[in-house]
Amino acid sequence: MRPATALALCAALASTALLTGCGTETAGAPASSGATCASLAPLADPAGRTWDNVRVVSGKCGPSGAPSTGFEVTNTDQEPLTFTITFTLVNGFGEAMDSTTRTVEAVKPGQTVRRPLDAEEGPGSARAYRARITKVRAVPADGPSGACPPSGVRITNDRGDAAMGLRVVGIHLANCGTTDYRLNGYPALRLLDEDRDPVTGVEILHGTTAISTGIGGDAEPRPLTLRPGESAYASLAWRNTTTDGDPVNAPYAEVTAKPGAEPVTVTPELDLGTTGRLGVSPWTKTPADAGVPQG
């Protein structure tokens, strides 16, 4: 794993500014007219410019046609993917000046999508910096942005908490459909590495007491009925202690809410060290006055 702290900058493209709204774009549907990169070419210095089918490019990337920095995403998979990319902007002295996260939704198989990448000052403002790709995450796309998946539920993860080697991340399930959704027990997990290949050798425990007491993840499972608009959560807990052996990193996890449900890929960024254990709490209904954090 190559961790990075992503300062989320807003990125809805407007006619006069590039980063002034929400940081999500949908493939094939530019956020504003002219919001593409023309005369693209890879930058001269290749270090940090490419990562998992994402590359930094240069050209006339702003709506005004101003020279700027852009990026290109290519989906080489067999299904639509949503990409989340973290960039670091570096000045001429090699100092990291800013960090920004951009999301490109529902890139079709074989499709290449190009987008501008600018700082808050607008078109051309990233020109003074060298953009480096810090992290790339790609998960199967559920469908159009904002639409409820065919399953009727949306599964996400939050950013979690960390203290003295202990990590806790929440998995959130929201009933965005029109009928009740029933749960009973624990979510099933399949851990995946950066290439989305299965990670083996990790014991997944029911409950979190074996990881740490006081997390609150050891209640007995109980049947839940989520009405439309209601949600539930489960906690993942682990320690990232490293001793002998190779540390295990699993940035992705396939979550199966209940037997027979379709698995959903999320990005809990599990830096498991050499502990080989991950605790999982049962599904618990989210209190009515609590929001559902988004990953």
Side-chain angles (χ1 to χ4, degrees):
M1 180 182 299
R2 286 163 279 191
T5 299
L7 173 61
L9 300 181
C10 292
L13 300 182
S15 59
T16 58
L18 285 178
L19 295 174
T20 57
C22 297
T24 300
E25 300 169 5
T26 301
S32 65
S33 59
T36 58
C37 297
S39 303
L40 287 161
L43 297 186
D45 175 10
R49 309 299 190 190
T50 61
W51 185 327
D52 292 350
N53 299 319
V54 179
R55 66 171 184 156
V56 175
V57 294
S58 63
K60 296 180 180 180
C61 295
S64 65
S68 187
T69 298
F71 65 97
E72 180 181 86
V73 175
T74 301
N75 182 2
T76 60
D77 211 343
Q78 302 300 311
E79 61 181 330
L81 296 176
T82 290
F83 289 80
T84 301
I85 311 108
T86 302
F87 299 91
T88 297
L89 300 181
V90 180
N91 65 16
F93 297 99
E95 300 169 327
M97 302 302 294
D98 209 346
S99 179
T100 180
T101 298
R102 304 298 298 273
T103 298
V104 183
E105 295 185 344
V107 182
K108 299 175 182 178
Q111 184 181 22
T112 295
V113 177
R114 294 167 177 170
R115 292 289 184 266
L117 176 69
D118 281 286
E120 289 181 316
E121 291 79 4
S125 57
R127 190 180 178 193
Y129 304 113
R130 291 180 296 169
R132 296 188 181 278
I133 302 169
T134 311
K135 183 168 62 177
V136 176
R137 296 291 179 253
V139 299
D142 286 332
S145 177
C148 186
S151 63
V153 297
R154 182 177 289 110
I155 298 176
T156 59
N157 65 271
D158 60 34
R159 292 180 176 86
D161 294 312
M164 298 181 65
L166 175 65
R167 306 284 194 264
V168 181
V169 166
I171 302 296
H172 302 271
L173 182 151
N175 183 355
C176 56
T178 58
T179 61
D180 291 351
Y181 192 84
R182 292 176 174 80
L183 294 168
N184 186 9
Y186 300 85
L189 299 177
R190 182 170 179 256
L191 309 187
L192 307 174
D193 64 16
E194 285 193 337
D195 298 320
R196 289 188 284 130
D197 292 327
V199 171
T200 59
V202 176
E203 183 182 8
I204 297 178
L205 310 172
H206 282 176
T208 59
T209 294
I211 305 299
S212 179
T213 59
I215 296 175
D218 284 284
E220 287 296 319
R222 54 182 297 184
L224 303 178
T225 298
L226 302 181
R227 296 182 177 87
E230 293 185 331
S231 61
Y233 68 93
S235 297
L236 309 184
W238 72 96
R239 292 190 180 276
N240 71 336
T241 307
T242 299
T243 53
D244 295 332
D246 296 325
V248 174
N249 293 310
Y252 300 100
E254 285 185 349
V255 178
T256 302
K258 61 182 180 180
E262 289 293 324
V264 175
T265 303
V266 296
T267 54
E269 304 288 349
L270 303 172
D271 55 339
L272 298 165
T274 55
T275 60
R277 298 194 303 174
L278 174 67
V280 184
S281 76
W283 288 116
T284 302
K285 184 175 285 190
T286 305
D289 59 348
V292 179
Q294 298 300 308

